[in-house]
Amino acid sequence: MSVQERKQRERVERERLIVATARDLAEQQGWDAVTTRRLAERIEYSQPVLYSHFRGKREIIGAVALEGAAEMAAALRAAASAADGPRTRVAALARTYLEFAVRNPAVYDAMFELDGGLAFANDDTPQPLKDAFAALLESLGEVAGDGVHPGLFTEVFWAALHGLATLTRAGRLPPEDTEPRVELLVDRLAVV
């Protein structure tokens, strides 16, 4: 391995460490606790090294969001592939989405609540975000109904899931009623 290849590998490993540390810190103490000074201390590199990877917290949030989107897409696809029939697939998809939001609150915030500098719904949208939407569309498109654009239906269903996730996490909806909400959402929106 050449010196340049080794340095590149070390750079990639440092970047992964920064993102993992930011994510861990945010999950433990919230995003306000994630500062470049604190990250530099935790990863045992100087702040200039951290800035050589990310221009600041906004880019770090974006990196966490992209990682989270890839994880969410994988989880949604796994849930959908394990279910039989359109209704079961859509319900599994909804449950998985809501469970992801509960299990990964800081990552979910990075993906949908905080400014990570990422473009949504346009040509500049990063591939992991497109993949997460595609993971929803793959199952929801088949239950959109006649004459309903599958992408539009997916957006509306996603908005409903996001609203449920956000309101439940904020304590505005009781978490014990999540399952009846999923059933209602599937029964009323999806044509199965």
Side-chain angles (χ1 to χ4, degrees):
M1 175 181 302
S2 73
V3 172
Q4 185 175 3
E5 288 173 329
R6 182 182 53 77
K7 285 184 179 186
Q8 180 58 30
R9 188 186 74 229
E10 289 171 354
R11 180 172 177 73
V12 168
E13 289 171 7
R14 257 192 324 271
E15 193 166 300
R16 281 191 198 128
L17 178 62
I18 293 166
V19 172
T21 303
R23 182 177 175 164
D24 185 52
L25 186 57
E27 291 292 1
Q28 290 176 11
Q29 299 176 29
W31 278 104
D32 287 342
V34 180
T35 64
T36 53
R37 181 187 56 78
R38 229 168 175 190
L39 284 174
E41 288 172 2
R42 286 210 175 186
I43 65 171
E44 298 178 347
Y45 284 99
S46 67
Q47 282 183 312
V49 169
L50 193 137
Y51 282 115
S52 74
H53 291 273
F54 299 99
R55 287 183 286 203
K57 184 175 177 176
R58 181 178 187 222
E59 284 189 4
I60 294 168
I61 290 169
V64 170
L66 293 176
E67 187 176 271
E71 291 171 10
M72 178 183 271
L76 292 172
R77 285 188 173 111
S81 70
D84 287 331
R87 188 190 189 294
T88 307
R89 250 189 312 282
V90 172
L93 194 76
R95 282 186 206 98
T96 300
Y97 183 98
L98 296 172
E99 288 166 6
F100 183 91
V102 168
R103 278 192 326 272
N104 306 284
V107 173
Y108 192 84
D109 286 346
M111 292 169 64
F112 301 119
E113 302 294 326
L114 301 174
D115 179 9
L118 303 174
F120 283 81
N122 66 41
D123 293 337
D124 295 341
T125 301
Q127 195 58 47
L129 298 179
K130 289 178 182 179
D131 287 345
F133 185 78
L136 291 169
L137 179 62
E138 289 161 10
S139 291
L140 294 173
E142 70 179 318
V143 297
D146 292 336
V148 177
H149 187 280
L152 184 62
F153 178 79
T154 300
E155 290 171 352
V156 171
F157 201 93
W158 172 31
L161 288 174
H162 177 68
L164 290 173
T166 302
L167 291 169
T168 303
R169 286 182 54 221
R172 307 248 182 338
L173 295 175
E176 62 271 11
D177 292 333
T178 297
E179 187 58 29
R181 286 188 203 102
V182 166
E183 294 297 321
L184 183 62
L185 183 64
V186 172
D187 288 342
R188 300 296 178 177
L189 284 183
V191 178
V192 288

